[in-house]
Amino acid sequence: MKQNLLYILFLFSITIGYSQNQLVKAEIDTISIRIGEQFQYKLTIDETENVIIPKLENLKGLEVVDSLKLDTINNKLIQKYVLTGFDSGAFYIPRQQIFIKNQAHLTDSLLVNVATVAIDTTKVKKFPIKGIKGEPYQFDDYKEYIFWALIVLLIVITTLYFALKRSDKSTSEAFVPKLAPYQEALQNLKLLDEKLLWQNNKVKAHYSELTEIIRNFIERELNIPALEQTTNELVDTLTDFSNINTITTDKETIQKLEKLLSKSDLVKFAKSKPMAHDIEFDRKNAEIIINNIKPAITEENTETSYSKPVVIIEKPEVKQPNMVSKILIIVAIIAIGILISYGISKAKSMSNLTKEPVENVQ
């Protein structure tokens, strides 16, 4: 009776241990690989709660390539690893300890064979032994070519200098008669009429040039800084000169000048837009003002000359190269090209001699 009881207890313990071990299972998708090939190692756990999977370690001869994401399928946890091996031989994946509800469970150890790759030496392509590496080029290797290149370059520069030598004549004097103030003013009024400024809606530019012509005439004819004075200052100055008989004019002319300058200020600064007949009337008044303002005749200004010489500086003339210079330039360019080509070819031949491969000797 006691023996039967012990036998029953033994069978029950074996059944419990077997059922515990079945909670975790380890498997691989292949038992034999070649060096460098990858295979998959999978852990299956029949629980989803309170499970601890330690890090995969103590792999001798094998390496972990990647650890995949933990999956849950049919109330089971599945952890997959990608492994490989780079040494030939048979290697064991040791038993892994997994904790389920604070109780340790061990997996089975698995054997993996890693085989080498057979190489057919009869089909391996053979290469010749590399030749002796030549020394790097130095300045002395090109010193001769640089010397001749500098000589040719000096010849070319000298030839170009004498062929394109500037003429000695750098300036010339031309006597240009300077117009009298009255003649210059009438000429400028004529040029202003030809521009047709106000006809092209450029009234402001028309009045600016018109008043500048009058002010420039007064400044040159009467020696008054008319271009710098305001309208009131200029009118007061002309009135004072007229009162002391320094200039020959009348009050009506001064009044016309004041009205013209005032209207010009309104056009330039107040954006006034006079009518067409007013613009033509002001143009006629400008010519009347120029005709009626003259300096008083004295002995000092009776012999005024407006024909002083004006020096005009001209650009220096450049001589065009003659036929001989052109031929020399072409010859120099060809010589430089030949010299450079010869230097390159010689450098290549030197590099081929120093870098020629040595044949295999059996």
Side-chain angles (χ1 to χ4, degrees), residues 36-280:
E37 285 186 342
Q38 298 178 358
F39 65 96
Q40 195 174 87
Y41 176 67
K42 182 172 71 172
L43 295 175
T44 305
I45 305 156
D46 291 341
E47 284 288 341
T48 58
E49 297 180 357
N50 298 327
V51 178
I52 300 175
I53 303 176
K55 187 177 180 181
L56 190 61
E57 295 178 343
N58 299 326
L59 298 176
K60 295 182 180 179
L62 300 174
E63 296 181 9
V64 179
V65 178
D66 192 11
S67 177
L68 304 181
K69 186 178 179 181
L70 183 65
D71 292 333
T72 303
I73 301 175
N74 297 328
N75 294 325
K76 293 182 180 181
L77 294 178
I78 297 177
Q79 177 66 57
K80 295 180 181 180
Y81 301 92
V82 179
L83 306 181
T84 188
F86 296 101
D87 294 326
S88 60
F91 304 100
Y92 277 97
I93 301 175
R95 303 175 70 182
Q96 302 298 315
Q97 189 176 33
I98 300 173
F99 293 90
I100 302 174
K101 297 179 180 180
N102 296 328
Q103 186 176 358
H105 296 267
L106 296 176
T107 64
D108 295 331
S109 61
L110 301 174
L111 180 64
V112 179
N113 292 312
V114 181
T116 58
V117 179
I119 301 175
D120 188 0
T121 57
T122 60
K123 297 181 180 180
V124 177
K125 188 177 180 180
K126 296 180 181 180
F127 297 93
I129 300 173
K130 292 184 178 181
I132 301 173
K133 187 177 181 181
E135 296 182 358
Y137 297 111
Q138 299 179 355
F139 176 75
D140 294 336
D141 299 331
Y142 303 98
K143 183 168 61 177
E144 182 179 356
Y145 308 111
I146 294 174
F147 174 74
W148 286 107
L150 290 175
I151 290 178
V152 173
L153 185 62
L154 181 62
I155 294 173
V156 172
I157 293 174
T158 305
T159 305
L160 291 175
Y161 173 76
F162 286 105
L164 303 176
K165 187 178 179 182
R166 296 172 179 271
S167 61
D168 295 331
K169 184 180 179 181
S170 59
T171 60
S172 61
E173 292 185 357
F175 291 90
V176 179
K178 194 174 183 180
L179 294 176
Y182 177 74
Q183 296 174 349
E184 183 184 22
L186 294 180
Q187 183 179 358
N188 290 335
L189 288 176
K190 184 178 180 181
L191 294 175
L192 178 61
D193 295 337
E194 293 175 356
K195 290 181 180 179
L196 302 175
L197 292 178
W198 69 270
Q199 291 88 342
N200 294 318
N201 295 325
K202 297 181 181 179
V203 180
K204 182 178 178 180
H206 172 79
Y207 273 93
S208 297
E209 290 195 23
L210 183 64
T211 53
E212 185 177 357
I213 293 171
I214 298 173
R215 287 176 178 271
N216 186 58
F217 165 74
I218 295 174
E219 182 166 324
R220 288 192 58 200
E221 187 72 16
L222 305 179
N223 293 324
I224 298 174
L227 294 172
E228 301 174 1
Q229 290 181 340
T230 62
T231 300
N232 294 330
E233 291 175 350
L234 181 58
V235 171
D236 293 340
T237 303
L238 293 177
T239 302
D240 295 338
F241 281 11
S242 177
N243 293 332
I244 60 175
N245 296 325
T246 305
I247 60 175
T248 303
T249 186
D250 52 15
K251 292 182 179 180
E252 185 179 358
T253 302
I254 296 176
Q255 290 176 357
K256 289 182 179 181
L257 175 63
E258 184 178 6
K259 290 180 180 180
L260 178 58
L261 295 179
S262 299
K263 184 180 293 186
S264 176
D265 292 338
L266 292 175
V267 172
K268 290 188 292 184
F269 304 112
K271 297 182 180 181
S272 177
K273 295 182 179 180
M275 302 299 290
H277 64 274
D278 293 332
I279 298 174
E280 294 177 353

